Amino acid sequence: MNPSTTKPMSYVAVAVAVFLAVLLPWFAPNQFYIHLATVGCINLMLVLGLAIIARAGQLSMGHGGFALVGGYVSALLSMKGWPPLLTLFIAGLTAAVIAAALGWIILRLRGVYFVLVAFAFSQIVVLLALDMSSITGGANGLVGVPPISIFGCVLRAKPQFYPFALACALTTLLLTWLLYRSPLGTMMAATAENQRLTESSGIDTHRVQVIAFTIGSGIAGFAGALSTHYLRFISPDSYTFWESVSYLTMLVVGGRDGVLGPVVGVLVLTPLPELLRSTEGLQHIIYGTMLVLCLMFVPNGLASLVQTWRSRQRVARTSAAVVAEEVT
Amino acid sequence: MSMDIILAQTVVNGLMVGMIYVLMAIGFTMVFGIMRIVNFAHGEFYMVGAFLFAILYGSNGMPFAVSVLLAIGATALLGLLMERIVFRRFRGNELNGMIASVGVALILQNSALLLWGSSARTVPPVLSGVLSVGGIVFPWSRLVVIIGAIVAVVLLNLLIGHTRIGRAMRAVAQDAEIAQVQGIRVDVIFPAAFVLGVSLAAFAGVLMAPVLSVSPFIGLAPTLKAFVIVVIGGLGSVPGAVVGGLLIGLIESFAGTFVSASLSEILQFLVVIGVVLLRPQGLLGRKEREA
Amino acid sequence: MSMLEVESLKRSFGGLVAVRNVSFKVSEGDFLGLIGPNGAGKTTLFNVISGVLRPSAGTVRFLDRDISGQPANQTVRQGLSRTFQAATVYPEATVIENVARGTLGTSLTGLWSGFLSRKWRVAAEEKAYHVLDLFGLRRRADLKARELSYGEQRRLGVAIALASEPKLLMLDEPVAGLNPEEAAELASVLRRVKSERGVTMVMVEHHMRTVMGLCNRVVVLDHGTLIADGTPADVVSNPLVIEAYLGKEAVDA
Ligand SMILES: Nc1ncnc2c1ncn2[C@@H]1O[C@H](COP(=O)(O)OP(=O)(O)OP(=O)(O)O)[C@@H](O)[C@H]1O
Ligand SMILES: [Mg+2]
C-alpha cells in the first residue's frame, strides 16, 4: 500500500523465496517433501481465497464447500473426456457463479447471517454429494480422476505436478497482491474497517463484499479442482467443515492483513497434519490451540510482528520529523 | 402400519428432536444475546455431556440421577473454564469471538477423540416399554426425552423470568452498558449465562445419549441446527428459539419420513434464506438498532 | 437556487417517531445550522437525508432530483456528503490513506481500473494531500488515524467527507468534545472550505458560539418537529426555542 511496504529489500526477499520454491525438487531429500510442498501450494490458494473474503470484512465458514463444488465439477467433466486444464477453470467459474448468486441473495446481511448461510451452504454441498450417488459416487466418491496434461505432458507423478501447482499458487499470490493494491482492494479494506463510513464515501460496500466473496470462492473452486486432479480422487470427506476451519486457522495464525499472512500461515501449518498423520486428533488440538492463542496474543497474525516492527520505525521517524519541524 | 401410527410416530420423533434443538438453541441464543458471541463450540458441550453420561451411566452403571447431575456438573465446569480462559476476552467482538469458538470446538472434539476413541457407544434406555394411547404406541425412551426437555425449558423460564439473576441477564442482553450503570455485576452475568447455556447443551446430550449413539463427532450437527434455529427465531430471543426448534424438528421428522433427509436439510436452508431476507430480525426477534 | 429540499419528512422506529413532518430548504451557498436538544432527531434527519436510513414518509430532493430512500453511496456520488457523530475515521489506516479512501467513490471510473497501473493512487493521494493541507494535517499524513489526538481525528473525519468533493456537506456535531482552541481552529477551517471550495454546508451543533459564528441560517428541531427557521439572531430569541432548550437545561443549571 504505502511505499514502505514495497522496498527493494522486499523484492529481493520475494525473489529468493520464489527461487528456493522452484528449486525444491532438486534438493528435497525425498518425494514426501515435494508432496508437502504441493499440498502447501494448494492450501495457499485456498487461504488466499479466504483472505480476499476476509479483506472485505466477511468470514466464510463454508470455504471448503466451494472447493468441493470445484473438485466435483472438474472431476466429472474431465472423466467425461474434457481436458482437465480447461475443467480447472470451469470449476473455478462454477464456484464463483454460485458464490455470486448466493452473495447477491444475502447481499444485505450482517456478518453473522452471512456466516450462517455460507456455513449451511457447505453442509448442503456435502449432503448433495452423498445423496446424488449415481453421479457423484456417494460416500465412496470419485476414483480415477484423470491427471492434468499440458501440451501432451501428463502431470502424473509428484515431481511433475509440483511445478504446475507452484505456478498456480504464485499466480494467485501475484493477482491477490495486485488486487490489494488496486482501488477495489482499497475499497475492500475500507469496507472491512468501517463499512458505514465507506458507504458514505460513495462506495457500494455490499457490491464490494459480493465481489470479494465471488473472487475468493472462485479461487477455492479452482484449488479444489487442482487438488482433485493431484490426488486423482474426490469424496464428500475431502472438504468438510473442519477443512474450512483449518484454512481459517492458517489465515488467522498467519495474519489477515496482507498477502504475507497467508504465506506464513500455510508454511507454519501445512506440515503439521502431514507429520502427525497417525494421531489426527493431536493435530487438530494443536490447530485449535494455535488459533485461540493467536487470537488472544497476536490477533493480527504472525506476519503482523514484522509489520509492527516496521510501523514502530515509521512512527519514530515521523515524530522525529514533527519534533524537528516544531523546534525550528 | 396404518397412516395414523406413522403420523403419530413422526410427530413424536419431530417433537423429540425439536425439543433437543430447543435446548441447544436456547443456550446458543443466550450466549449470543448476552456475550455477542456465535459459539461454534456449543455442540461440543452437548457431545461432552452425552459422553460423560454414557460413561457414568452406560459403562459404569452409576445410578441415573447421579449420572445426570455429574455429567451436567462436569460439563458446566468445563464451560466455566472455557469462559474464563477464552470466551470472556472476546465478548462483544463478534468476528474474533466466533473464530475463537471454532478453536475451542477443535480442541474439545479432538480431546474427546484422544481420550475416548472414535468408536460409537450406545447407552441403555432409561425407560423401556411403550405408552399406548387409543391403539397408537409411543416408546417411553422418546417420551422421556420430550418430557425431560420440557421440564428444563420450564425451569429455565422460571429462572429467567422470576429471579434476580434472570432479570439481570435480560438487562445485560438488552444493553450491557446500561445494565452496568444500573449496578448489575456484568462480570458475574457473563459467565453465569455461558455456564447456563453450556448446562442446557449438556442436558440435551444426556437426554439424547440413549437414543443416538455417542461419538466425538456428534457435536457439529446440533451446532449448525442451533444456529439455523436461532436465526429463524430471532438472534437473542428465547421464545424464538422454542418456536424455531420445534419447527425445525417437525420439518426434519416429516421430510425425513415422507421424502428424504437431505431434502429436509435443503428445505431448512431455504427457510433460513427466506427468513433472513423477509424478516431479518427473525420470527420472534426484536429489530436491532440500525445505524 | 435551492440545493436541498426536504418535504414532510418522517421517520419512525417502531412506535417512536424520531422525525415528524419536517420541511425545510437549503440554498446554494448557505451555511445552515441544525440545532435541538439531545434526542431531538437531528442525527436521524441526517441519516434519512443522506440515505443511511429510509424515510417512513416524505421526500428529499437534492439538486432538483428526488433522492428519497436512495442508498447512501449513490447520494454521495451525486454530491451530498456527510460526517458521523462517532467512528468517523479508519483507525488502523494512515491519515493520507483515510482521505485517499474518501476520494475513491466519486473519482474512479470503474472498480477494475487501476489493477495494473498506479496512476489512480497517485491521483488519489494528490487530491488527499490538498485536503490535508486545508485541514492542517499534512504533517500527520503518515501516522495512523488512531495515533492522532481526538481533535485531529474529528478534523480528519471532516476531511474524509470533503475528499469526495461534495456540493453539499452535512456535518454531525463536528466540534463536539473539542477544547475551545480546537473548536475555533475547526471553525476557521470550515469557513475556509466554504470560501475556497464553495461548498454549501449543513451542521448539527450544540455549541452555540460556533453556530452563531458560522451559520447564516438556523433551523431548530424539538421532539422530531421543526419549530423554528430563521437567522441565528431570530432563532435564539424565539420563545418556542427558548422553551425547548430552557425547559430542560434551565433545570440542569
Ligand atoms: N436506529 C434507531 N433505532 C431506534 N431508535 C432510534 C434509532 N436512532 C435514533 N433513535 C431514537 O430516535 C430519537 C432521536 O435520535 P437522534 O439520534 O436522531 O437524536 P439527536 O438529535 O441526534 O440527539 P443527539 O444530540 O444526542 O445526537 C431518540 O429517541 C433515539 O433513541
Ligand atoms: Mg445526534
Side-chain angles (χ1 to χ4, degrees):
Chain A
M1 263 311 99
N2 47 48
S4 64
T5 53
T6 48
K7 279 204 200 101
M9 268 284 287
S10 323
Y11 288 117
V12 172
V14 169
V16 170
V18 171
F19 187 65
L20 288 179
V22 170
L23 286 188
L24 183 89
W26 281 277
F27 63 77
N30 60 45
Q31 295 231 338
F32 177 69
Y33 288 86
I34 301 177
H35 166 71
L36 256 188
T38 308
V39 172
C41 288
I42 292 165
N43 283 347
L44 179 59
M45 295 173 73
L46 285 157
V47 177
L48 283 170
L50 199 59
I52 291 171
I53 300 169
R55 181 82 170 180
Q58 297 277 38
L59 175 65
S60 174
M61 292 276 197
H63 207 53
F66 291 96
L68 203 60
V69 167
Y72 272 106
V73 165
S74 194
L76 288 169
L77 289 179
S78 61
M79 285 165 90
K80 282 215 166 69
W82 295 42
L85 203 55
L86 176 65
T87 61
L88 279 178
F89 287 93
I90 297 178
L93 211 63
T94 310
V97 168
I98 294 174
L102 207 60
W104 182 73
I105 296 175
I106 56 176
L107 189 93
R108 297 171 298 128
L109 301 185
R110 232 161 42 80
V112 177
Y113 299 105
F114 178 87
V115 168
L116 172 65
V117 172
F119 175 32
F121 167 78
S122 68
Q123 301 296 103
I124 289 200
V125 173
V126 171
L127 275 177
L128 285 179
L130 282 171
D131 223 39
M132 308 193 324
S133 48
S134 59
I135 305 170
T136 60
N140 297 327
L142 297 169
V143 192
V145 178
I148 296 169
S149 61
I150 305 175
F151 308 122
C153 169
V154 182
L155 309 179
R156 199 169 275 127
K158 290 188 173 74
Q160 283 139 28
F161 196 90
Y162 171 68
F164 182 69
L166 182 65
C168 290
L170 289 178
T171 310
T172 311
L173 191 66
L174 179 69
L175 289 177
T176 309
W177 184 69
L178 286 174
L179 173 70
Y180 283 4
R181 288 161 49 102
S182 78
L184 180 57
T186 310
M187 289 175 192
M188 283 162 53
T191 302
E193 204 176 340
N194 191 338
Q195 182 159 10
R196 195 182 60 171
L197 181 57
T198 310
E199 188 76 16
S200 286
S201 298
I203 292 162
D204 187 344
T205 54
H206 295 304
R207 185 154 154 244
V208 168
Q209 288 188 324
V210 172
I211 292 175
F213 185 51
T214 304
I215 298 175
S217 303
I219 294 175
F222 186 96
L226 188 64
S227 161
T228 302
H229 289 285
Y230 173 60
L231 302 171
R232 319 274 305 276
F233 167 71
I234 180 138
S235 83
D237 283 340
S238 300
Y239 295 97
T240 64
F241 174 67
W242 301 109
E243 262 68 39
S244 299
V245 168
S246 67
Y247 308 133
L248 182 64
T249 308
M250 292 179 194
L251 179 61
V252 171
V253 169
R256 283 169 272 184
D257 279 343
V259 292
L260 189 60
V263 175
V264 171
V266 166
L267 284 178
V268 172
L269 289 174
T270 300
L272 213 55
E274 307 293 329
L275 294 175
L276 298 174
R277 267 269 174 259
S278 48
T279 44
E280 206 186 334
L282 190 61
Q283 167 224 326
H284 286 304
I285 292 175
I286 296 176
Y287 265 47
T289 311
M290 284 187 77
L291 189 56
V292 172
L293 288 181
C294 266
L295 283 170
M296 283 186 195
F297 301 112
V298 253
N300 295 323
L302 297 177
S304 74
L305 297 177
V306 182
Q307 270 146 10
T308 311
W309 176 71
R310 262 193 200 154
S311 82
R312 277 220 191 97
Q313 289 185 314
R314 184 177 47 76
V315 171
R317 245 184 294 124
T318 316
S319 26
V322 170
V323 168
E325 210 174 315
E326 269 159 9
V327 166
T328 51
Chain B
M1 259 197 293
S2 83
M3 199 60 197
D4 281 4
I5 296 177
I6 297 181
L7 266 183
Q9 283 177 350
T10 312
V11 170
V12 168
N13 270 338
L15 286 179
M16 177 189 73
V17 175
M19 282 312 293
I20 290 299
Y21 289 166
V22 167
L23 289 185
M24 293 301 292
I26 289 178
F28 191 89
T29 211
M30 277 177 50
V31 172
F32 182 82
I34 292 174
M35 300 179 80
R36 295 272 134 190
I37 289 178
V38 171
N39 184 8
F40 272 92
H42 197 62
E44 306 309 327
F45 293 105
Y46 162 96
M47 179 273 293
V48 171
F51 246 115
L52 291 176
F53 182 72
I55 291 167
L56 296 171
Y57 179 75
S59 314
N60 290 358
M62 303 233 314
F64 171 72
V66 177
S67 310
V68 173
L69 288 180
L70 274 181
I72 296 178
T75 314
L77 211 62
L78 182 67
L80 184 64
L81 206 67
M82 289 296 149
E83 200 276 341
R84 288 276 122 161
I85 302 174
V86 181
F87 288 97
R88 60 168 35 211
R89 294 164 197 259
F90 297 101
R91 65 170 82 120
N93 182 346
E94 236 166 57
L95 192 66
N96 283 1
M98 195 151 47
I99 302 175
S101 78
V102 170
V104 171
L106 267 176
I107 295 170
L108 291 182
Q109 185 188 105
N110 291 286
S111 303
L113 181 63
L114 287 187
L115 270 177
W116 297 317
S118 63
S119 55
R121 303 181 184 215
T122 50
V123 180
V126 179
L127 274 184
S128 49
V130 294
L131 171 75
S132 84
V133 183
I136 302 172
V137 290
F138 301 104
W140 271 111
S141 60
R142 305 201 154 206
L143 292 178
V144 163
V145 176
I146 300 177
I147 294 166
I150 290 176
V151 169
V153 172
V154 169
L155 284 180
L156 181 85
N157 227 26
L158 290 176
L159 180 76
I160 295 181
H162 300 276
T163 63
R164 254 186 58 204
I165 191 153
R167 272 193 294 278
M169 280 180 189
R170 278 183 294 154
V172 175
Q174 288 244 329
D175 191 321
E177 255 170 60
I178 294 180
Q180 190 149 29
V181 173
Q182 288 170 339
I184 290 171
R185 295 267 317 267
V186 173
D187 54 329
V188 178
I189 296 305
F190 284 123
F194 192 83
V195 167
L196 195 57
V198 163
S199 310
L200 286 173
F203 185 52
V206 166
L207 287 176
M208 278 311 261
V211 181
L212 291 175
S213 51
V214 179
S215 88
F217 311 113
I218 58 173
L220 182 63
T223 304
L224 175 60
K225 282 293 140 66
F227 201 166
V228 163
I229 289 159
V230 160
V231 165
I232 290 178
L235 274 167
S237 156
V238 172
V242 175
V243 172
L246 290 175
L247 182 74
I248 291 291
L250 288 171
I251 288 183
E252 223 171 87
S253 174
F254 273 87
T257 308
F258 296 107
V259 203
S260 84
S262 33
L263 190 89
S264 117
E265 299 290 320
I266 293 170
L267 205 66
Q268 291 168 38
F269 181 60
L270 295 179
V271 170
V272 167
I273 291 196
V275 168
V276 291
L277 287 183
L278 301 176
R279 206 180 149 75
Q281 72 272 38
L283 295 179
L284 296 182
R286 280 178 299 117
K287 214 168 189 155
E288 288 198 36
R289 285 179 63 105
E290 308 162 60
Chain C
M1 189 191 113
S2 113
M3 181 164 262
L4 180 73
E5 282 174 50
V6 174
E7 239 183 77
S8 324
L9 204 63
K10 183 185 162 201
R11 169 72 202 206
S12 44
F13 300 105
L16 177 90
V17 185
V19 171
R20 190 190 307 266
N21 209 25
V22 167
S23 308
F24 64 93
K25 284 183 187 176
V26 182
S27 307
E28 182 159 1
D30 263 353
F31 201 133
L32 181 77
L34 169 59
I35 64 171
N38 286 109
K42 305 177 297 290
T43 298
T44 306
L45 184 58
F46 262 37
N47 284 342
V48 174
I49 293 174
S50 62
V52 171
L53 292 176
R54 299 177 140 274
S56 306
T59 53
V60 181
R61 298 180 67 77
F62 177 62
L63 297 173
D64 287 326
R65 206 183 312 182
D66 189 349
I67 60 161
S68 337
Q70 169 183 289
N73 70 70
Q74 277 178 37
T75 308
V76 180
R77 289 201 294 272
Q78 289 159 5
L80 191 163
S81 190
R82 58 85 56 95
T83 67
F84 291 93
Q85 214 168 332
T88 56
V89 299
Y90 302 103
E92 293 301 322
T94 60
V95 169
I96 184 69
E97 175 71 15
N98 264 269
V99 183
R101 285 176 183 180
T103 67
L104 292 185
T106 46
S107 59
L108 280 176
T109 43
L111 280 183
W112 304 101
S113 59
F115 205 81
L116 288 173
S117 142
R118 299 287 284 163
K119 275 195 202 120
W120 68 275
R121 176 151 285 276
V122 175
E125 289 193 354
E126 193 179 335
K127 239 188 225 175
Y129 274 118
H130 280 303
V131 177
L132 286 185
D133 278 337
L134 205 55
F135 283 79
L137 285 170
R138 183 185 267 263
R139 286 193 320 198
R140 300 286 192 258
D142 290 330
L143 290 181
K144 283 190 178 177
R146 66 170 160 75
E147 294 161 353
L148 297 181
S149 72
Y150 180 73
E152 288 171 325
Q153 288 190 22
R154 300 290 311 189
R155 243 187 293 160
L156 180 58
V158 181
I160 296 170
L162 193 68
S164 64
E165 303 191 323
K167 301 190 184 75
L168 175 64
L169 181 57
M170 311 206 335
L171 306 158
D172 198 349
E173 305 200 18
V175 307
L178 302 191
N179 64 38
E181 295 93 73
E182 288 172 326
E185 201 177 337
L186 184 56
S188 80
V189 170
L190 292 178
R191 219 172 273 126
R192 204 162 355 121
V193 167
K194 189 152 182 330
S195 64
E196 283 182 20
R197 303 213 163 184
V199 181
T200 306
M201 300 212 206
V202 179
M203 175 174 72
V204 170
E205 196 43 75
H206 286 294
H207 192 251
M208 278 317 281
R209 189 175 309 158
T210 309
V211 174
M212 302 296 266
L214 286 173
C215 302
N216 63 326
R217 241 181 82 216
V218 174
V219 293
V220 187
L221 212 56
D222 184 32
H223 290 105
T225 314
L226 200 85
I227 57 167
D229 183 341
T231 66
D234 287 347
V235 163
V236 288
S237 56
N238 183 327
L240 277 176
V241 177
I242 295 172
E243 198 193 310
Y245 270 91
L246 295 190
K248 284 184 186 134
E249 274 152 33
V251 183
D252 297 345

